[in-house]
Amino acid sequence: MRIFLGCVGRLKAGPEQELCSDYLARAGALGPGLGLTGFHLTEVEEKNKSAGLKEREAAKLLAAIPETALIVAMDERGSAMGSEKFANWIGQERDSGTADMAFLIGGADGLSPQIRERAAKTLAFGPQTWPHMLARVMLTEQLYRAVTILAGHPYHRP
């Protein structure tokens, strides 16, 4: 199963970008032995901040992922999921034949209703509102943690 991350906004060089790159590289190194064949990050940006911004961002996010991908909306209105449950859910989707899974993170104004309605699952990192750039770091770390849990690696210590 391939994992896609579609994110609004571009990370500038700095600690957030370094962390995301590191966690995705680590997940990518462990993933193939677990049937997780790739971790792909796509950044989209909409320069025109006029009306309809979230809809234009949604169109770009959807264009950046496989058409048949199982969509996971990262949204503060979603449900929280512990790391082990998250890992097991990814493993179940992989085992059930899901070929592509896409985690989508909106911009400063969040995701459009179109994305949330199309999503198979909506997840949140708790009830707080997080900056979308920090949410990206948190998601990449949780994906790496999920891979290590599935691999039986000692990174995750409950």
Side-chain angles (χ1 to χ4, degrees):
M1 179 171 77
R2 297 181 302 173
I3 306 282
F4 292 84
L5 285 79
C7 304
V8 172
R10 302 206 186 278
L11 278 179
K12 295 179 176 118
E16 294 93 347
Q17 185 183 58
E18 290 172 20
L19 283 168
C20 286
S21 295
D22 183 48
Y23 286 128
L24 290 176
R26 289 182 190 194
L30 277 177
L34 302 167
L36 301 172
T37 59
F39 292 81
H40 311 277
L41 171 66
T42 301
E43 298 175 314
V44 301
E45 196 165 24
E46 179 57 53
K47 300 276 187 196
N48 181 354
K49 305 296 183 194
S50 64
L53 174 64
K54 287 200 293 189
E55 289 72 24
R56 291 192 307 278
E57 290 173 343
K60 287 184 175 189
L61 285 171
L62 293 172
I65 63 171
E67 194 172 305
T68 59
L70 183 140
I71 294 175
V72 181
M74 301 303 298
D75 187 278
E76 66 187 10
R77 290 164 280 213
S79 59
M81 186 182 289
S83 297
E84 289 182 10
K85 186 174 180 182
F86 179 66
N88 291 331
W89 173 69
I90 289 174
Q92 289 168 353
E93 287 297 331
R94 173 204 59 202
D95 296 346
S96 70
T98 299
D100 298 307
M101 181 180 285
F103 293 86
L104 302 181
I105 298 176
D109 295 325
L111 289 168
S112 78
Q114 173 191 9
I115 298 274
R116 290 194 314 270
E117 290 166 7
R118 188 160 163 205
K121 188 174 281 297
T122 304
L123 295 178
F125 290 119
Q128 300 90 2
T129 301
W130 295 96
H132 62 282
M133 298 303 183
L134 186 53
R136 189 183 310 191
V137 173
M138 294 164 63
L139 176 59
T140 57
E141 191 282 335
Q142 283 300 295
L143 287 168
Y144 171 62
R145 184 175 298 272
V147 170
T148 63
I149 290 169
L150 293 171
H153 188 279
Y155 178 78
H156 177 70
R157 292 176 189 94

